[in-house]
Amino acid sequence: MEFIYEPEFWVAVSFFIFVGTLLYLGVHKKIASLLDARALLISKELEEARRLREEAEKVLADYRRKLGDVVTEVDNIIALAAKEAETLAAETRQSLKDYFDRRIKLAEEKIARAETEAVREFRSVAVDAAIAAAQNLIAAKLTPDRAEKLVSESIEALKSKLT
């Protein structure tokens, strides 16, 4: 029994008493229950994280679908705007063409009226000049005997036409 005097022996005895006390007091059950509670908490947190991840994936898929819808809608809006712009441009071109055609027609009508008026004025001036020239010529060359002869010839010609 010499081993009783050895310090290692007393360390071993102390260790076993300490472990026995811990077992007697149920520390191992408390540690196990704490570890089980901790494991349950971690399990719940993992399940919550998994649920949140699935929810985030659903939200992400929804946003990607919405983004696709928005892109499609934007493309449709751009196509519609381009079509409306082309229609508006065509209408504007036609409207301008019609406007200029009307303006050209009005200008041509004004030119034709001005031309007709100028011809009428020219004829009026020419007739007045011809009458004045004829009067001057007749006044210069017509003698009273010749005038009487012309008047009687005109009356005879008129009588023959009336009968």
Side-chain angles (χ1 to χ4, degrees):
M1 291 219 174
E2 249 183 68
F3 60 85
I4 295 180
Y5 299 114
E6 295 289 324
E8 289 86 12
F9 171 75
W10 290 111
V11 169
V13 169
S14 306
F15 176 74
F16 285 120
I17 291 173
F18 176 73
V19 170
T21 307
L22 290 178
L23 290 175
Y24 177 74
L25 293 175
V27 173
H28 67 287
K29 292 179 183 177
K30 290 180 184 178
I31 290 174
S33 69
L34 286 175
L35 289 175
D36 287 343
R38 178 79 175 146
L40 185 61
L41 179 65
I42 290 172
S43 175
K44 286 181 182 178
E45 287 177 355
L46 285 174
E47 186 60 36
E48 179 70 14
R50 191 174 300 117
R51 187 186 61 78
L52 288 174
R53 180 177 181 203
E54 289 173 0
E55 188 176 313
E57 286 175 351
K58 287 179 185 176
V59 169
L60 177 63
D62 188 44
Y63 279 122
R64 284 185 177 159
R65 182 186 51 79
K66 286 180 182 179
L67 178 63
D69 292 347
V70 167
V71 168
T72 303
E73 188 175 337
V74 166
D75 289 343
N76 291 341
I77 289 171
I78 289 171
L80 180 63
K83 184 177 178 182
E84 287 178 358
E86 182 59 36
T87 303
L88 183 60
E91 289 174 0
T92 302
R93 280 192 294 271
Q94 184 62 39
S95 176
L96 284 174
K97 183 183 178 295
D98 292 346
Y99 173 76
F100 285 122
D101 287 348
R102 282 193 307 272
R103 297 296 287 174
I104 288 171
K105 186 175 179 181
L106 283 172
E108 287 172 349
E109 289 174 359
K110 279 184 177 181
I111 290 170
R113 282 195 304 268
E115 193 175 272
T116 303
E117 184 65 30
V119 168
R120 191 174 343 151
E121 280 186 36
F122 180 74
R123 284 185 182 167
S124 174
V125 169
V127 166
D128 289 346
I131 290 174
Q135 284 176 346
N136 287 341
L137 186 63
I138 291 173
K141 292 193 176 188
L142 189 63
T143 59
D145 291 335
R146 175 94 175 129
E148 202 172 302
K149 184 179 174 188
L150 280 173
V151 169
S152 50
E153 284 176 1
S154 296
I155 290 174
E156 288 299 320
L158 189 56
K159 281 183 186 174
S160 68
K161 285 187 182 180
L162 289 176
T163 48

